[in-house]
Amino acid sequence: MKVLKFGGSSVASSENINKVISIVKDSANKNKVAVVVSALGGVTDLLLEAGNLACSGNKDYIKTFEIIEEKHVQVVRELIPINNQSNVLGEIKKMLNKLENTLEGVFLINELSNKTSDKIVSFGELFSSFIIANAMQTNNLDAVLKNSQELIVTNNNFSNAAVLFPKTNANIEDFFKQNNSKIVMLPGFVAKTENGEVSTLGRGGSDYTSAIIAAATNASVLEIWTDVSGMYTANPKFVREAFPIPNISYQEAMELSHFGAKVLYPPTIQPILKKEIPICIKNTFEPDAEGTLITKESSNNNPIKGISHIENMALITLEGSGMIGIPGISKRLFEALSLEKINVSLITQASSEHSICFAISNNDALKAKTAIDTEFSYEIEHAKIEPVIVEENNAIIALVGDNMKSHQGISGKMFSTLGRNNVNIRAIAQGASEKNISAVILHKDIKKALNTLHSEFFENQTKQLNLFVVGVGNVGGKLLEQIKQQQAFLLKNLRLQVRVIALTNSKKMVFNEDGIDLENWKVALEKGTALNMDLFHQKVTDLNHRNSIFVDNTANENISKLYASYLKESVAVVTCNKIACSSNYTNYLNLKQLAREYNAPFLFETNVGAGLPIIDTLKNLIASGDKVNKIQAVLSGSLNFVFNNFNEENSFYNVVEQAGIQGYTEPDPRIDLSGVDVMRKILILARESGTRLELYDIENDSFLPKASLAVDTVPEFIETLKLEAEHFNKIYKKAAANNCRLKFVAEFDNGKAKVGLKEIPSNHPFYNLDGSDNIVLFFTDRYPVQPLIIKGAGAGADVTASGLFADIIRIGNN
């Protein structure tokens, strides 16, 4: 015989119940079956609500009762043919009258005992089993209804009664020996005491009922039908890559169930453990899916079977020198909790005996603190023990697997993986059996922790990068284009899954947690909401994705001021915006420190030389013990473009205009032409070399006329370039007469820096620098005479975007 149990979601509507009937029919063609059902979805909560309202003297209990009534009457009308409806509705009405009378009694005396509560909630399963049994009979199935209250006998611990197995097993065996029907329908959850009083089996009671029936009848299998296709490697609501576990052991299933895998309630397994009856978790809505088979031993060789968690936990700590070497402290502590019926989910104690901490439900935190402070009031008063410390809004996350004990390094791998993603571990517990490694983390880190661990232990080491991109102009647009082009390549060759989660322009922002379609990002952004960088930051924080990267493609000072807030949330920052790293030295240093402290990379390779590996090379020189003595560089691609194309036939004004059109200059060309942009770049290189320097320390020998420096707006500045044409022509002619080319040069030498326009002779490395190229000469202890030279394209949206992309990939590869 097989036992099939269907949960509330499986019998939530007439449509779902028809699916149940189809499954039972197929199963009954091959075996005799016992079918255990829960109350219709949501009914148990409605029954509890009605009881509580009645107890509080609130007449709204009648409205709740009417909802319950209407729900069941509607299901009958949809399931049962008209010619049979009156009989079924008549019996349902009789049961509803009993329920109504019970609720009215509670209302009149304003009292709701556990005994009465059991009587009220038991109606849910009695209603559903009666309706479904009649629906099966009208479908010409050989089905009979048997009330589980006539089979399962319990003690008087109402609301969570203990089963008296000798009497219960005898009742079940006798009934099924005499039963000739192919299908026996039974209500789950409900039972009766030896005195005939209604009792219930507590949370997960319908699962428990099915296990009791299966064990007593020596069933070939217990099938638990629910709304998911088995027990998953992690909660699929949090981890999209989670998948059903084909086979798992009883012990592993109990561990996962205890830690939040709600498809199975741990006590369910107990009655069938000794008899080694398999349990199969199946999906009512995908009956052909394989599901999960639970047996004595798992055939799956992966030492980790699943990752589970419990939400809304409080971490309670009792500590003090008065605990050291004193017998009985733990006994007193946990007795105090036991008397308050507080369940403890995790315990850890320092070997010094100076402290004990444990995790309980947030709902029990205040009650626990009161109980413990009362129990240890003498020790607290005499400063031998500190008052209890309560830290709420935590969660427990657990790795589960029978074979972890035979695989070294799993706990280390778990904690290092969490650490790399800045998930703070508050407490750790691991039993000697090593079937479970548990850690307490902040509640807000649940999703990140689950996804991080799932990727580490169950996926093909594909690393997911989640980008939050600010600015989609020339550079930002090119970056999105490059990401779209390379997504498949990165996934295949580097195992990097790059997703753009958010985008902004100057007016709007858009979020898509599944990743924005880069074919249609402009349409998505157009449909977005008004830009609000505070809300943008809050959304990034709330999503709390692993490997989150804030990408700044702007030259906006206000955006640069946000970097610290992102780094503090363990969100990496990649930027081509030079303002942050060229701001005051304290801020620059603080950002670097935050990046280390929160394990969040802060990368700004494109601050100098666009896509050229200038900063990275400099970092490697310093890290390897070399010392930078002097830097000579042409660092402005825009200025190099301007002076390479400026001549007697092409006016300075026209060349600057052309540079702007091609995207070489900033939107405000004064930043480039004034030398401020180059000052920032040489400042960053000096700082990365290890020198403390401020922007105002850099000497700037400007080539602009006073008229150009005096105006306030960009249009006025551009106009001066026309009016001061003779000034620029004179500079050009002088250089040409000396057989030199004009280059805007940055220099750093022995702790001092300066920038300015220079005449470069033909034998100098800068002379043949064409187009918008940059060049940097590093003179170091190891390169004292012949410098280390880096040369290449140093401006333009494409190369800047590629530099940003390289920084993003660098984060992915670390």
Side-chain angles (χ1 to χ4, degrees):
M1 189 181 80
K2 293 170 65 174
V3 178
L4 284 66
K5 180 265 175 178
F6 293 90
S9 59
S10 298
V11 294
S13 65
S14 56
E15 181 184 357
N16 292 0
I17 292 171
N18 278 323
K19 288 181 170 59
V20 168
I21 293 172
S22 176
I23 291 167
V24 172
K25 181 179 179 181
D26 288 344
S27 191
N29 285 334
K30 305 169 187 174
N31 309 274
K32 278 191 173 185
V33 295
V35 180
V36 178
V37 292
S38 297
L40 303 187
V43 166
T44 301
D45 288 339
L46 289 170
L47 289 164
L48 288 168
E49 178 186 317
N52 289 327
L53 288 170
C55 180
S56 63
N58 189 332
K59 284 191 174 182
D60 283 347
Y61 84 88
I62 298 172
K63 294 180 181 178
T64 304
F65 169 78
E66 289 170 349
I67 294 171
I68 295 168
E69 180 179 32
E70 176 56 31
K71 189 177 183 74
H72 289 92
V73 169
Q74 180 183 347
V75 169
V76 170
R77 287 175 175 158
E78 292 171 350
L79 276 179
I80 308 297
I82 294 176
N83 58 328
N84 291 330
Q85 273 185 20
S86 58
N87 292 333
V88 177
L89 286 172
E91 288 300 320
I92 289 292
K93 288 285 187 181
K94 287 180 185 177
M95 287 191 277
L96 284 166
N97 288 338
K98 290 180 181 179
L99 171 61
E100 186 176 21
N101 291 337
T102 304
L103 290 169
E104 185 179 6
V106 172
F107 176 78
L108 292 173
I109 64 173
N110 297 128
E111 183 181 330
L112 181 62
S113 65
N114 287 340
K115 180 178 176 181
T116 306
S117 180
D118 271 5
K119 188 172 183 179
I120 291 170
V121 295
S122 69
F123 278 98
E125 276 71 14
L126 297 177
F127 288 147
S128 64
S129 58
F130 178 77
I131 293 170
I132 296 169
N134 277 274
M136 287 183 177
Q137 290 164 2
T138 58
N139 278 275
N140 298 316
L141 295 182
D142 181 15
V144 64
L145 174 65
K146 180 63 176 177
N147 190 341
S148 302
Q149 293 172 323
E150 298 170 7
L151 301 176
I152 300 176
V153 184
T154 71
N155 64 10
N156 294 324
N157 186 18
F158 296 103
S159 292
N160 192 17
V163 176
L164 304 178
F165 277 101
K167 292 184 178 181
T168 296
N169 290 338
N171 290 342
I172 294 170
E173 289 170 15
D174 289 345
F175 170 75
F176 279 96
K177 280 179 183 177
Q178 297 171 22
N179 170 64
N180 293 318
S181 298
K182 292 278 287 182
I183 302 166
V184 178
M185 174 64 59
L186 302 114
F189 182 58
V190 297
K192 281 189 177 179
T193 67
E194 290 182 286
N195 297 327
E197 301 284 356
V198 174
S199 61
T200 63
L201 302 180
R203 177 175 159 249
S206 291
D207 283 355
Y208 198 17
T209 301
S210 62
I212 292 167
I213 300 293
T217 59
N218 291 308
S220 59
V221 65
L222 166 58
E223 294 180 354
I224 295 180
W225 292 81
T226 181
D227 56 0
V228 291
S229 299
M231 299 188 80
Y232 278 65
T233 49
N235 188 331
K237 292 179 181 178
F238 290 92
V239 182
R240 295 182 185 277
E241 292 77 15
F243 54 88
I245 308 166
N247 184 213
I248 195 171
S249 73
Y250 294 127
Q251 296 296 330
E252 290 167 335
M254 282 198 290
E255 291 282 359
L256 285 173
S257 298
H258 173 70
F259 282 91
K262 295 181 174 59
V263 296
L264 188 68
Y265 185 54
T268 300
I269 300 175
Q270 294 296 341
I272 57 179
L273 267 176
K274 291 182 179 178
K275 295 194 174 183
E276 298 181 8
I277 296 171
I279 303 173
C280 193
I281 311 295
K282 300 280 285 180
N283 189 340
T284 305
F285 309 102
E286 293 182 31
D288 294 330
E290 183 181 358
T292 297
L293 182 65
I294 305 172
T295 53
K296 182 181 179 182
E297 293 181 355
S298 169
S299 59
N300 185 344
N301 293 324
N302 190 340
I304 309 297
K305 295 303 189 301
I307 307 163
S308 199
H309 73 284
I310 309 175
E311 300 182 31
N312 301 310
M313 302 300 292
L315 192 62
I316 312 292
T317 304
L318 182 69
E319 63 182 5
S321 58
M323 296 170 57
I324 300 172
I326 305 299
I329 293 288
S330 298
K331 176 178 179 292
R332 290 171 59 192
L333 170 62
F334 294 112
E335 271 188 356
L337 297 173
S338 176
L339 291 172
E340 295 295 329
K341 297 184 178 179
I342 295 172
N343 183 51
V344 177
S345 297
L346 176 146
I347 303 168
T348 182
Q349 180 174 13
S351 59
S352 64
E353 301 183 39
H354 184 266
S355 67
I356 301 174
C357 71
F358 55 92
I360 61 174
S361 168
N362 276 343
N363 297 330
D364 292 329
L366 181 59
K367 188 164 57 171
K369 177 173 173 54
T370 302
I372 298 168
D373 283 346
T374 301
E375 173 64 31
F376 293 96
S377 57
Y378 175 83
E379 288 87 350
I380 293 171
E381 184 180 346
H382 290 82
K384 294 182 177 182
I385 292 179
E386 299 294 326
V388 170
I389 300 169
V390 179
E391 299 170 275
E392 297 187 9
N393 299 317
N394 291 296
I396 300 175
I397 191 162
L399 286 188
V400 172
D402 275 345
N403 296 323
M404 289 196 297
K405 60 186 175 184
S406 58
H407 288 74
Q408 293 180 344
I410 287 178
S411 58
K413 190 175 181 181
M414 173 185 179
F415 300 134
S416 64
T417 300
L418 293 174
R420 284 198 305 273
N421 284 272
N422 236 63
V423 176
N424 188 32
I425 297 170
R426 317 297 304 281
I428 298 168
Q430 179 177 0
S433 65
E434 296 186 48
K435 286 182 170 62
N436 177 316
I437 306 172
S438 303
V440 178
I441 62 173
L442 292 176
H443 195 273
K444 72 180 183 69
D445 288 332
I446 289 173
K447 187 172 183 179
K448 182 192 287 186
L450 287 172
N451 279 278
T452 298
L453 292 175
H454 195 273
S455 174
E456 186 70 26
F457 287 103
F458 291 103
E459 299 167 32
N460 293 324
Q461 297 306 301
T462 297
K463 191 171 185 178
Q464 188 180 88
L465 303 180
N466 296 292
L467 310 187
F468 300 86
V469 180
V470 176
V472 290
N474 285 340
V475 173
K478 291 293 183 182
L479 174 62
L480 295 177
E481 185 181 308
Q482 290 174 14
I483 292 171
K484 176 171 73 72
Q485 175 187 319
Q486 290 300 107
Q487 275 178 322
F489 175 87
L490 293 175
L491 187 60
K492 180 180 178 181
N493 294 279
L494 299 182
R495 293 184 177 176
L496 294 178
Q497 182 187 21
V498 182
R499 307 191 309 169
V500 177
I501 304 298
L503 291 172
T504 80
N505 57 21
S506 59
K507 296 178 180 178
K508 290 190 174 183
M509 62 184 186
V510 62
F511 279 81
N512 185 331
E513 192 174 350
D514 296 327
I516 293 168
D517 177 9
L518 296 185
E519 289 281 357
N520 301 294
W521 66 265
K522 291 180 181 178
V523 176
L525 189 54
E526 185 62 31
K527 294 178 180 178
T529 57
L531 177 63
N532 182 317
M533 289 309 297
D534 289 334
L535 288 178
F536 188 90
H537 177 265
Q538 187 60 51
K539 182 73 172 174
V540 174
T541 303
D542 290 344
L543 287 174
N544 198 21
H545 278 313
R546 57 191 164 136
N547 306 317
S548 291
I549 305 174
F550 178 78
V551 183
D552 178 14
N553 301 311
T554 75
N556 187 300
E557 183 175 1
N558 290 328
I559 301 297
S560 73
K561 291 178 179 178
L562 300 175
Y563 297 168
S565 62
Y566 282 99
L567 294 171
K568 288 177 182 176
E569 296 293 340
S570 300
V571 175
V573 174
V574 168
T575 180
C576 60
N577 187 340
K578 294 176 279 291
I579 295 175
C581 287
S582 59
S583 62
N584 67 74
Y585 186 78
T586 304
N587 183 58
Y588 160 81
L589 218 56
N590 180 53
L591 293 175
K592 304 270 283 189
Q593 175 58 34
L594 290 174
R596 289 190 293 269
E597 182 179 348
Y598 291 95
N599 195 29
F602 173 43
L603 300 182
F604 44 89
E605 182 65 70
T606 49
N607 277 195
V608 181
L612 295 175
I614 296 171
I615 292 175
D616 191 52
T617 301
L618 177 55
K619 286 180 177 177
N620 289 334
L621 287 172
I622 301 299
S624 67
D626 204 353
K627 179 186 176 185
V628 175
N629 300 312
K630 184 166 70 173
I631 301 172
Q632 291 182 333
V634 174
L635 294 173
S636 174
S638 53
L639 284 176
N640 201 41
F641 175 88
V642 167
F643 287 111
N644 278 337
N645 289 279
F646 170 43
N647 51 46
E648 292 174 336
E649 298 174 358
N650 204 1
S651 73
F652 191 78
Y653 165 81
N654 287 335
V655 175
V656 170
E657 186 178 45
Q658 187 182 355
I661 292 170
Q662 294 193 25
Y664 291 138
T665 64
E666 299 286 352
D668 181 351
R670 290 175 296 179
I671 296 173
D672 297 291
L673 299 180
S674 67
V676 170
D677 184 61
V678 177
M679 290 171 67
R680 287 173 174 161
K681 291 176 179 178
I682 194 65
L683 174 66
I684 292 168
L685 292 182
R687 287 176 170 178
E688 290 294 300
S689 300
T691 300
R692 180 169 188 146
L693 206 65
E694 299 289 357
L695 193 62
Y696 54 75
D697 293 325
I698 300 173
E699 180 184 339
N700 182 2
D701 183 13
S702 177
F703 64 88
L704 291 174
K706 292 181 180 179
S708 298
L709 294 171
V711 295
D712 295 324
T713 66
V714 173
E716 289 174 325
F717 175 77
I718 296 296
E719 187 63 24
T720 67
L721 301 186
K722 286 183 183 178
L723 299 174
E724 297 289 337
E726 185 55 37
H727 169 83
F728 298 111
N729 289 336
K730 187 182 294 185
I731 294 173
Y732 171 77
K733 289 176 181 177
K734 181 175 178 295
N738 293 329
N739 197 29
C740 292
R741 298 181 72 180
L742 292 169
K743 303 293 178 186
F744 197 85
V745 177
E747 294 180 281
F748 171 70
D749 191 357
N750 291 320
K752 294 184 179 181
K754 61 181 179 180
V755 300
L757 191 63
K758 288 186 176 293
E759 296 179 0
I760 303 298
S762 59
N763 61 347
H764 196 280
F766 293 171
Y767 185 83
N768 292 315
L769 195 65
D770 294 325
S772 61
D773 284 1
N774 281 188
I775 186 170
V776 179
L777 280 60
F778 288 117
F779 293 88
T780 73
D781 285 353
R782 295 173 188 163
Y783 299 91
V785 179
Q786 294 296 327
L788 174 62
I789 301 175
I790 301 171
K791 178 183 176 183
D798 270 328
V799 291
T800 303
S802 69
L804 289 163
F805 200 3
D807 274 348
I808 291 166
I809 294 170
R810 188 175 287 114
I811 291 172
N813 286 333
N814 285 341

